[in-house]
Amino acid sequence: MPTDAHATSRVRPADELRQVALEQFSTVGFAATSLQQIADHAGYSKSSVLYHFASKEALLESAIGPAIDDLEVLLGDFVAGGRSPEARAVFIERFVDFLLGNRLAVHTFVNQGQSLLDIPVIQRANTAIRGIADSICADDATVVENIRFGVALAGAAYMLVAGATFRDEDHQFDDVEVRAALITVLSELLLPADGRSTR
Amino acid sequence: MPTDAHATSRVRPADELRQVALEQFSTVGFAATSLQQIADHAGYSKSSVLYHFASKEALLESAIGPAIDDLEVLLGDFVAGGRSPEARAVFIERFVDFLLGNRLAVHTFVNQGQSLLDIPVIQRANTAIRGIADSICADDATVVENIRFGVALAGAAYMLVAGATFRDEDHQFDDVEVRAALITVLSELLLPADGRSTR
DNA sequence: GCAGAATCTGACCGATCGGTCAAGGTACCT
DNA sequence: AGGTACCTTGACCGATCGGTCAGATTCTGC
C-alpha cells in the first residue's frame, strides 16, 4: 500500500532524508541519532534510508559534504587574496553568509568534529578550519590572537543554532539582523582596531 | 568505612568514575558514551559503575552538578552586585576562572545542553546560562548585544576543549596564558569600549 | 500491455545498549 | 568465629542499534 504521506511530494527522497538527517545530527548528535529516528521523521522506513545511502556514515557525508566544499572554496579564495584589512572584511562577510547558509552542517562538525575524527568528511572539515586559522593568524600570532580567532568562529557557529534555544518563541532573531550583528561582532574581533594589534 | 588515616590514600572509585565519565561525555558525547566504555577506561566492570551510580543519567548529574552549583553562585553574586563596568570586569575574571576550573563540565552542557533537555541538571544549567544572559544584556538590548554575548560565552567555552584539537601536540597553550587571553578577549567583547555602546 | 529499473518495506541478523540480580570477595567490628 | 557493610563482578534481560536481503510495489520507456 502506498503511503500518500509523501506520495504527492515532488521533493526528491534523498534530499528530504538529507535535510531530516542534518536536523537530527546537528541538534541531537550523530551518534545519538538512529536511522530509525531519521526514517520516522521523514516518513520512510529504515530500509528506505539505507537504500538511498549505503550507511549512516555515508548519509552524514552526503549531508555536510557540500558545506565543506563551500568552505574550501572560501578558504581558497582568501588564501589567494591578500591579508589586508579590506580582504579580511570581505572574508568575514562571506564567512557569515556561509554560516547562515549552512548553519546545520556547520553546527554539526563544529560541535562534533572532534568525536568523529575517523570519518573522512569530518577530517576534511577540520583541515579546512585549521587552514582558515593559519591564514588569519600568522605563525608568530600571540595566544590572544589565537583565542580571539577561536572565540569568534566557534561562538558565531554556536549562536546560529544553539543560541536559538535561549530565546523565547516570540523573540526569535531575524536572519537579516543576525547577519548584520555577526558581521559587526566578528569585525570587532578579527579586524585591526585602534590601539590593538592583530598579529 | 569513612576514615582511612593511611598516608597514601586511595582514590575514591566514585570520583575516578566521575572524572572518566566527564572526559568521555565532553569529548565523545553523552549519548555516544556507553557505560561499558566508561568502565573500561576506569578499569572497572560495567556493574561496578552502576553500583556507584544508579543510572547513566545519575552519573552525568553527579559529574556536572558541582559545576552548575558554582555557576549559580557566580550568577547570584553578579545579580546581587551592580552592573557597572567594574562589576562586569570582576565577573569576567571569575567567569574565566570558572571555565578553566570546570572546562569539561562546561563543554558538556554547552555543546549538548539542547539535546539533553529532559535531564534535570541540564535544565538547571540552561536556566543559569539564560540568567547570566539576562543580567548582562538588558531587556532592551540590541541584537548585536545578544550576539556579542553569545559569541563570547560559547566561543570561550569551545576554545577550552575543542580548540585544543586544532593545536599541534607541542604547541599547546599554557593555562596561565589562556586565562589572560580569555580575559582580554571577553573584556573586549563585553565591556563598554570607546565609540561603542554595550546596551 | 509489458519488461525492467527504481523504490519501498518487513523480516531478520549479530552486536551492543542501559539496567537487574545474586553470588562472592574483602576489611573491620565484636 | 561470625557479622556486616562495602565493593566488584559475570550472567542475564528486553530493547535497540546499524545493516542485509528478498520480495512487493511503483514508475518509466517501449
Side-chain angles (χ1 to χ4, degrees):
Chain A
M1 267 338 238
T3 57
D4 54 21
H6 54 274
T8 59
S9 166
R10 296 171 182 247
V11 185
R12 284 166 43 181
D15 292 336
E16 195 178 353
L17 289 172
R18 249 187 297 267
Q19 178 63 24
V20 170
L22 200 45
E23 289 168 5
Q24 296 295 305
F25 291 161
S26 64
T27 56
V28 184
F30 176 75
T33 300
S34 68
L35 293 176
Q36 190 66 62
Q37 290 174 29
I38 296 172
D40 290 346
H41 273 84
Y44 291 91
S45 70
K46 190 179 70 171
S47 298
S48 284
V49 178
L50 285 164
Y51 167 76
H52 289 285
F53 302 94
S55 67
K56 188 181 174 186
E57 227 175 78
L59 176 52
L60 173 69
E61 174 121 12
S62 175
I64 74 174
I68 311 297
D69 293 340
D70 291 353
L71 182 61
E72 284 173 346
V73 169
L74 190 59
L75 171 62
D77 290 356
F78 180 64
V79 170
R83 295 180 193 179
S84 64
E86 292 77 13
R88 284 194 185 201
V90 171
F91 168 75
I92 287 175
E93 192 161 344
R94 285 187 62 187
F95 185 74
V96 169
D97 285 333
F98 164 75
L99 290 181
L100 284 166
N102 302 277
R103 60 177 76 190
L104 294 185
V106 170
H107 190 262
T108 299
F109 70 74
V110 164
N111 264 9
Q112 306 175 55
Q114 48 183 333
S115 62
L116 307 172
L117 291 176
D118 50 342
I119 300 181
V121 73
I122 297 289
Q123 292 172 2
R124 216 152 52 91
N126 286 337
T127 300
I129 290 179
R130 191 190 287 252
I132 290 181
D134 291 344
S135 294
I136 288 210
C137 302
D139 290 335
D140 59 345
T142 63
V143 174
V144 172
E145 273 315 298
N146 281 284
I147 295 286
R148 209 194 309 275
F149 173 81
V151 168
L153 262 58
Y158 183 80
M159 279 305 292
L160 288 179
V161 178
T165 304
F166 300 114
R167 302 291 298 177
D168 300 331
E169 295 262 337
D170 47 341
H171 287 87
Q172 285 299 329
F173 293 139
D174 174 32
D175 264 15
V176 177
E177 279 183 307
V178 170
R179 193 187 105 98
L182 275 178
I183 291 176
T184 298
V185 174
L186 291 195
S187 296
E188 288 169 10
L189 277 169
L190 300 179
L191 291 186
D194 296 333
R196 205 190 72 202
S197 105
T198 44
R199 49 189 305 171
Chain B
M1 219 20 73
T3 54
D4 189 358
H6 286 60
T8 54
S9 62
R10 277 178 47 200
V11 182
R12 284 165 45 180
D15 292 336
E16 196 177 353
L17 288 171
R18 249 187 297 266
Q19 178 63 23
V20 169
L22 200 45
E23 289 167 4
Q24 296 294 306
F25 290 160
S26 64
T27 56
V28 183
F30 176 74
T33 301
S34 68
L35 292 175
Q36 190 66 63
Q37 289 174 30
I38 296 172
D40 290 346
H41 273 85
Y44 291 92
S45 70
K46 191 178 70 171
S47 299
S48 284
V49 178
L50 285 165
Y51 167 77
H52 290 284
F53 302 95
S55 67
K56 189 182 173 185
E57 224 175 83
L59 176 52
L60 174 68
E61 174 121 14
S62 175
I64 75 174
I68 311 296
D69 294 340
D70 291 352
L71 183 60
E72 285 173 345
V73 170
L74 190 58
L75 170 62
D77 290 355
F78 180 64
V79 170
R83 295 179 194 178
S84 64
E86 291 78 13
R88 284 192 185 201
V90 171
F91 168 75
I92 287 175
E93 191 161 343
R94 285 187 62 188
F95 185 75
V96 169
D97 285 334
F98 163 76
L99 289 181
L100 284 167
N102 302 276
R103 60 177 77 191
L104 294 185
V106 170
H107 190 263
T108 299
F109 69 74
V110 164
N111 265 8
Q112 306 175 55
Q114 48 182 334
S115 62
L116 306 172
L117 291 176
D118 51 341
I119 300 180
V121 73
I122 296 290
Q123 293 172 2
R124 216 153 53 89
N126 286 337
T127 300
I129 291 179
R130 192 190 287 252
I132 290 181
D134 291 344
S135 295
I136 287 210
C137 300
D139 292 334
D140 60 345
T142 63
V143 174
V144 172
E145 272 315 297
N146 281 284
I147 295 287
R148 208 193 310 274
F149 173 81
V151 168
L153 262 59
Y158 183 81
M159 279 306 292
L160 288 179
V161 178
T165 305
F166 300 114
R167 302 290 299 177
D168 298 331
E169 295 262 338
D170 47 342
H171 286 88
Q172 284 298 329
F173 294 139
D174 174 33
D175 263 15
V176 177
E177 278 183 308
V178 170
R179 193 187 106 98
L182 274 179
I183 290 176
T184 298
V185 174
L186 290 195
S187 296
E188 289 168 9
L189 277 169
L190 300 180
L191 291 185
D194 296 332
R196 204 191 72 201
S197 106
T198 45
R199 48 189 307 172

